[in-house]
Amino acid sequence: MKNVLTIAGSDSSGGAGIQADLKTFAAHGVFGMSVITAITAQNTQGVFAVQDVTPEVIAKQIDAIFDDIEVAAVKIGMVSQIDTIKTIAAKLQEYGAKNVVVDPVMVSKSGYHLLNPAAEAALVQELLPLATIVTPNIPEAEVITQGKITTVEEMEAAARSIYALGPKHVLVKGGHLDGDSTDVFFDGEKYTYLKSRRIDTKNTHGTGCTLSAAIAAGLGRGLPVDQAVHAAKEYITIAIEHGLTIGKGVGPTHHFYTLYKKAGMISD
Ligand SMILES: Nc1ncnc2c1ncn2[C@@H]1O[C@H](COP(=O)(O)OP(=O)(O)OP(=O)(O)O)[C@@H](O)[C@H]1O
Ligand SMILES: Cc1ncc(CO)c(N)n1
């Protein structure tokens, strides 16, 4: 089995962050490991508090893993602060981490700043050059490129200018545009479009985390980047289709629908 690491924040309600990533890894048959960057008090209705983990303890968690265990891929999610970002970047370089997926998490669906706005430039400068692939949603791509994105053509232009910042591949996610949910993938030469019809649901908590974790799982299992991205898009689409009405707000997606169905554990 391949070992895949998530470096991200904890979501107490289990729909996003570390918890979504580990469920996604389990559903993909890879062994999941975690470095927790921050603890959030969060549920389907909002984020109520955040405690950042110190850079020293983040560095120790990374050392504990890389000193002992082969890491096939790394996914980076919520990184909170400039010092957190610098610590992660230095450690990943020290250990020569491969197959690095950067999900540039900035603001939660409920509007909470999970990344200190003052740390946006550090995320771009320190983490994007280390990324095998970076997966911004539209608002994140707007911050990175400092421009407005309202069409697929503007997503293409954004993917190209984000590519110029150093990542080997870019996936601009279209979940925030109206109409079909088309993601734009750019490998430095050509664009590929990952289309899915828009699923009419409120249960989309953690979709971005899940997609990036699924890409990391695919890379860890040895898939080429484009195949890992396509497989991850199929996975997130099924997970959204069978999203769970848990809590009073934006519920989580279903990580194990296909597996449970095959095992005869669910009938619908
Ligand atoms: N209603 C929907 N129907 C179909 N696909 C969707 C829907 N919403 C999001 N997606 C898909 O889910 C994936 C995640 O995209 P999205 O833009 O929602 O990420 P995000 O905003 O980073 O998520 P998060 O809130 O977890 O940060 C993309 O592949 C997107 O196309
Ligand atoms: C901890 C955490 N990471 C990422 C997200 C995605 O928005 C979230 N809601 N919470």
Side-chain angles (χ1 to χ4, degrees):
M1 194 183 287
K2 299 292 186 185
N3 312 315
V4 179
L5 170 64
T6 171
I7 302 178
S10 165
D11 168 8
S12 47
S13 68
I18 288 282
Q19 289 80 358
D21 296 345
L22 291 176
K23 290 172 200 182
T24 303
F25 293 163
H28 283 78
V30 297
F31 181 73
M33 304 178 290
S34 64
V35 166
I36 300 186
T37 56
I39 297 169
T40 73
Q42 177 176 178
N43 61 24
T44 63
Q45 298 179 288
V47 178
F48 307 103
V50 174
Q51 168 83 66
D52 292 325
V53 174
T54 62
E56 293 73 26
V57 173
I58 291 171
K60 289 280 183 211
Q61 292 178 78
I62 297 175
D63 287 338
I65 291 165
F66 279 90
D67 280 343
D68 188 39
I69 301 167
E70 184 75 23
V71 180
V74 182
K75 174 240 152 112
I76 303 174
M78 175 184 176
V79 286
S80 283
Q81 306 293 347
I82 294 174
D83 286 351
T84 309
I85 292 166
K86 288 192 168 162
T87 301
I88 294 168
K91 283 290 171 193
L92 292 185
Q93 280 170 298
E94 179 185 333
Y95 291 108
K98 52 184 189 287
N99 293 324
V100 177
V101 180
V102 176
D103 184 14
V105 172
M106 293 183 185
V107 180
S108 74
K109 285 213 164 83
S110 55
Y112 193 101
H113 282 267
L114 299 170
L115 177 72
N116 182 342
E120 285 164 359
L123 189 158
V124 169
Q125 282 158 24
E126 304 269 344
L127 295 181
L128 262 47
L130 305 181
T132 305
I133 178 167
V134 61
T135 62
N137 63 21
I138 301 258
E140 291 156 357
E142 288 180 336
V143 168
I144 297 170
T145 61
Q146 290 170 5
K148 200 83 195 121
I149 303 172
T150 53
T151 63
V152 171
E153 291 70 34
E154 286 168 358
M155 289 170 75
E156 289 172 2
R160 188 176 284 276
S161 56
I162 294 170
Y163 178 82
L165 299 168
K168 302 277 179 303
H169 304 81
V170 181
L171 181 72
V172 179
K173 298 172 291 189
H176 294 247
L177 284 190
D178 292 337
D180 284 351
S181 211
T182 300
D183 303 342
V184 175
F185 177 67
F186 185 59
D187 64 4
E189 285 176 12
K190 62 178 186 315
Y191 298 103
T192 312
Y193 306 90
L194 295 96
K195 291 191 186 173
S196 64
R197 67 174 180 84
R198 177 158 300 275
I199 301 157
D200 185 15
T201 176
K202 68 179 170 71
N203 300 324
T204 56
H205 185 74
T207 49
C209 305
T210 299
L211 181 76
S212 56
I215 296 171
L219 295 179
R221 293 178 62 214
L223 292 182
V225 181
D226 59 334
Q227 286 181 33
V229 168
H230 277 93
K233 176 73 174 173
E234 274 176 42
Y235 176 79
I236 187 62
T237 304
I238 293 170
I240 296 171
E241 254 163 13
H242 300 281
L244 301 166
T245 304
I246 287 174
K248 303 187 187 85
V250 176
T253 68
H254 194 324
H255 294 278
F256 302 105
Y257 182 80
T258 307
L259 288 173
Y260 287 0
K261 183 96 178 148
K262 273 191 195 147
M265 290 165 71
I266 39 177
S267 51
D268 61 332

